[in-house]
Each structure stands twice: as structure tokens, then as C-alpha cells.
Amino acid sequence: MTLNSVWFALWGLLWAVYFMLDGFDFGAGILHPFVAKNDTERRMVINTLGPVWDGNEVWLITAGGVTFAAFPTTYAYMFSYLYTPLFLILMSLILRGVSFEFRGKIHSEGWKKLWDFVIFLFSFLPALLFGVAFGNIFEGIPMDANGYHGTLFSLLNPYGLLTGILFVLLFLEHGALWLSFKATGDVAERSKGAAKKTWPILVIVAVVFLVYTKFATHLYDNYLKNPVWLVVPAVAVLSLLSIGGLINKSPVKAFFASCLTIVGITFTGIIGLYPNLIPSSIDPKYNLTIFNSSASPYTLKIMFIVAAIFVPIVIAYQIWAHLLFRKPIEEKDLNDPEVETY
């Protein structure tokens, strides 16, 4: 296996981990106006995310950094061709982070409602746009030697929108399961109910997505050439189906099944793309691949050494943070002057 392929696998892994971790942030943010009925309950939802949401976004920075350093040509074209949706995603993530901090600064009903709406809107928008962006990458982007021939609205094509809806439903289910064991009382019960209602819709949309993918993309070509890779989408499908049976028995196990589903779906797309990073929908000779858009072998080697040292440290920190704040949030925690809360 070449270093280019190793970095392609790491690039996919970083995106998969990011979607797995920040996915429940997005889902809980979208759900919070519906599962929390008063200010105390909304604070409970926000405080389930408070200790971990910024650590989760480290993986987005890492994934972007790897794209920049390992595949600089792809990074340059991606941020040029997809500038508007990526800009909207970054602004959404900034405003969502600001809303967590600002919401409790002024004790005014109108002020809190404003930031509650910001949390909802800017949790929904990046979830949708990440799906739209990856749907268009799976499908291929209209680019050739003269550049990009699409617009923001051409990205909102049926397959791109379907992928966006799939991402929103995946994150909704993920967030509902997170809240069903990280929150307590009525919020936890309503979140479990939301997970039950979302799951069958998610399964139907996932089936439609898998069928549509056959006609809209070339992702299945790699699986036909190497059927052994079919184990990855099979794991994703089995994990998704198991969620329905686990919600009542163990929300924690259902949440881990949801983690596996998100990682499996992401890698299903990544394996289908290989060796392309961004295919051209006009002519395959304009595809950006891991070979024609990568950094030099020396750079990839140095980066591999750096990643081998620092990625385990990031993983250790993430595990420590989740273990430290593993206790579910209770109403009494929100009123305890000894506990710093949002």
C-alpha cells in the first residue's frame, strides 16, 4: 500500500470520526426545541453537549488539515468550487458555538429564545450541507480544464439533497439516542420517543439512498471489482437495523450501534470513491485523485510520523473528556452553585 493510499484511508477515518462525534451535537441541537419544554430542560440539553462539543470539532480541523497537507490540490479546488456551502458551514459552526456561550449571559426570555433558535438553525444547516457536499462529491462535480461549471443551486440537485436529508436523519437519530441517556427525566423520555419515531424514516431514506446511488454515482464499481469490501456497507446496514431493537433495551448500546452506522456509511462512500477524492462529472480524465493531487512523498512521510505521535494524544484526550463527564445531567446539577454550567 502506498503512502497516498494510507493518507486516503486516514482522511476517510477522520471524516468518519468527526461525523460520529459532532453528529450527536447536531442532532441534539436540532431536537432541543422539541424535547425540552422549558428553560431548565433546554439548559439540560445544552449541558449534555457543553463539555465535549468543542473537542468534537477538533476532528473537523484535523480532517481539513489533512486535506490541506496531504492533498493540497484537492484542498485548493474544493474550497474554490464549494466555497459558498463550506463558508455557510463554517459560519454555522461559529454561530452555534457562540450561542452556547451567549444564551445564559442575559436573563431575558427574548434573548434566550433568540439563541435557542440559533442553536436549532445552525445545527440543522451544517448537517444538511455536509450531506449535500458529500453527495455532490460522490456524484461528481462538473469540472474540467476550464474550472468549475456549477453554482450553489446546481449543488442542490436531487441526489445531493437526498444525501443531505440522510445526514440530517442520521444525526437526528444519533442526537436523540445521546440525549436519552445523557439527559434525565422528561427530556430523556421525549428523546427516546424521538429516536423511535425517527428510526423507521431513517431506514426508508437509507434504502432509497442506496438504490439511487447505483444510478447517480460510480461508487459501486469498486465493490464489484473487490466484493470483499461489501463487508463495510453490510456492517452499516446491520448496525442501522439493530438500532430499532436496542432503543428500548439499552439506549447506550443503540447509541454505539448508531456510531457504527455513521462510520460504516462514511466508509462505504470513501471506499467507493477510491482512488478519487473529487471525481469530475464531465470527464474522468479531470478527476482529482490521491495520485495527481497529493503532496510529495517526503511530505507524506513526515506527516505520517507527526500523525503517529499526536493523533493518539487527541484520542486519549477525547476518551478522558467523555469518561470525566459520563454522568447524566440532572436538574439539581443545573442549580448547584458549585457546578459550572451553561
Side-chain angles (χ1 to χ4, degrees):
M1 181 181 283
T2 64
L3 268 177
N4 306 57
S5 298
V6 169
W7 274 107
F8 180 76
L10 287 173
W11 176 77
L13 179 64
L14 291 170
W15 279 111
V17 173
Y18 171 67
F19 290 141
M20 180 184 77
L21 292 177
D22 221 17
F24 66 74
D25 291 350
F26 293 141
I30 297 168
L31 279 172
H32 99 284
F34 308 104
V35 299
K37 300 298 184 185
N38 54 51
D39 183 58
T40 301
E41 291 183 349
R42 291 188 190 102
R43 287 183 61 212
M44 182 181 289
V45 172
I46 293 168
N47 279 280
T48 66
L49 308 175
V52 294
W53 72 268
D54 48 356
N56 294 342
E57 291 189 355
V58 167
W59 293 94
L60 174 63
I61 297 168
T62 311
V66 165
T67 313
F68 170 75
F71 306 109
T73 307
T74 294
Y75 181 89
Y77 283 120
M78 184 172 72
F79 272 83
S80 174
Y81 297 165
L82 305 177
Y83 179 81
T84 304
L86 291 176
F87 175 76
L88 289 173
I89 288 172
L90 290 177
M91 287 305 298
S92 299
L93 295 177
I94 291 170
L95 287 170
R96 193 172 64 106
V98 167
S99 67
F100 291 145
E101 299 293 338
F102 276 32
R103 185 185 181 278
K105 297 297 183 188
I106 298 176
H107 296 290
S108 156
E109 190 68 20
W111 176 264
K112 290 180 179 178
K113 282 184 177 176
L114 168 67
W115 291 110
D116 284 339
F117 178 71
V118 172
I119 292 172
F120 163 77
L121 179 63
F122 294 119
S123 296
F124 171 78
L125 196 60
L128 179 72
L129 290 177
F130 270 125
V132 169
F134 270 81
N136 277 277
I137 289 173
F138 294 158
E139 193 174 26
I141 288 178
M143 61 182 185
D144 58 18
N146 296 316
Y148 178 56
H149 298 283
T151 65
L152 172 64
F153 296 104
S154 65
L155 296 174
L156 303 176
N157 55 70
Y159 185 74
L161 287 172
L162 176 64
T163 314
I165 293 168
L166 176 68
F167 270 48
V168 169
L169 289 169
L170 276 171
F171 296 157
L172 264 179
E173 183 71 17
H174 206 40
L177 292 170
W178 169 262
L179 290 176
S180 65
F181 68 89
K182 287 296 292 181
T184 52
D186 291 339
V187 176
E189 287 304 312
R190 291 190 202 110
S191 300
K192 189 188 289 185
K196 289 179 189 173
K197 290 176 183 172
T198 304
W199 179 73
I201 303 170
L202 171 59
V203 171
I204 293 169
V205 171
V207 170
V208 174
F209 171 78
L210 288 173
V211 174
Y212 198 177
T213 295
K214 163 66 180 167
F215 300 100
T217 76
H218 297 287
L219 292 185
Y220 292 153
D221 292 356
N222 281 345
Y223 294 97
L224 294 175
K225 292 175 188 170
N226 299 287
V228 68
W229 289 115
L230 285 170
V231 69
V232 175
V235 167
V237 170
L238 291 174
S239 302
L240 176 59
L241 293 176
S242 71
I243 292 173
L246 290 170
I247 293 174
N248 280 329
K249 295 176 184 173
S250 171
V252 175
K253 290 181 181 176
F255 176 76
F256 281 110
S258 178
C259 290
L260 198 55
T261 303
I262 291 172
V263 172
I265 288 177
T266 307
F267 265 100
T268 298
I270 297 296
I271 292 169
L273 275 177
Y274 183 85
N276 299 312
L277 288 157
I278 303 181
S280 167
S281 61
I282 296 175
D283 191 321
K285 71 181 180 182
Y286 300 113
N287 290 354
L288 292 171
T289 73
I290 62 171
F291 302 110
N292 67 15
S293 71
S294 72
S296 68
Y298 181 72
T299 302
L300 295 179
K301 191 181 293 183
I302 294 294
M303 282 178 54
F304 186 78
I305 295 169
V306 172
I309 295 170
F310 288 102
V311 169
I313 295 174
V314 175
I315 293 172
Y317 164 77
Q318 201 89 45
I319 293 172
W320 173 78
H322 279 271
L323 288 175
L324 187 65
F325 296 102
R326 64 186 178 278
K327 183 175 169 286
I329 303 294
E330 299 182 39
E331 191 173 330
K332 65 180 183 182
D333 298 328
L334 303 174
N335 301 317
D336 186 347
E338 299 295 322
V339 179
E340 187 174 345
T341 59
Y342 285 92

